Amino acid sequence: VTGVQTCALPIFLPIITYGHVSPGPCWSITGGYRYRGAKEVPMKGRYFFADYCSGRIWSATESNGAWSITTPLDTNDYSFATFGEDECGELYIASRVNPGYLFRIVAKDSDGDGVPDWYEQLFPGTAAEDHDGDGFTQLQEFLAGTDPENAGSEIGRAHV
């Protein structure tokens, strides 16, 4: 065929990947958004995504071009089909079954200590502990968005 124009489009490889083991969930990934809101400061900049089949929600963070995935967030195993964002940058996730819900993503704090459950899963311990010996408690590190296991990530240098 003559006169057909072909275009060479760039290929963009995934920035986040993770493995799965069979048998297991069907692994249907629902892409999401980076959190840009103001209500959940420590979630700022995290990218949220979900697995439709397992009902799990993850977040990922980027540091110096490298991405890391957090422990899955605690959910009730809904089949999440889509994410949304409001005008203030707050994130929502919708389920299309059971019978169909819209949730705002928030930092659940089961024990009421000011540190969300997902953060306590990543950095076990109490809100009053100082994991890295830098003089700041886990709660202070969480609120500042610094790493509670790295004494070099001082609160004064935090950029949340």
Side-chain angles (χ1 to χ4, degrees), residues 27 31 51 118 122:
W27 303 99
D51 180 331
W118 64 265
L122 290 174

Side-chain angles (χ1 to χ4, degrees), residues 86-108:
D86 68 16
E87 64 276 0
C88 295
E90 299 304 319
L91 289 185
Y92 299 84
I93 189 166
S95 168
R96 67 177 277 274
V97 295
N98 299 335
Y101 296 103
L102 177 65
F103 301 93
R104 184 169 69 86
I105 297 178
V106 298
K108 182 179 175 184

Side-chain angles (χ1 to χ4, degrees), residues 5-13:
Q5 182 179 1
T6 60
C7 299
L9 299 175
I11 296 174
F12 296 98
L13 298 176

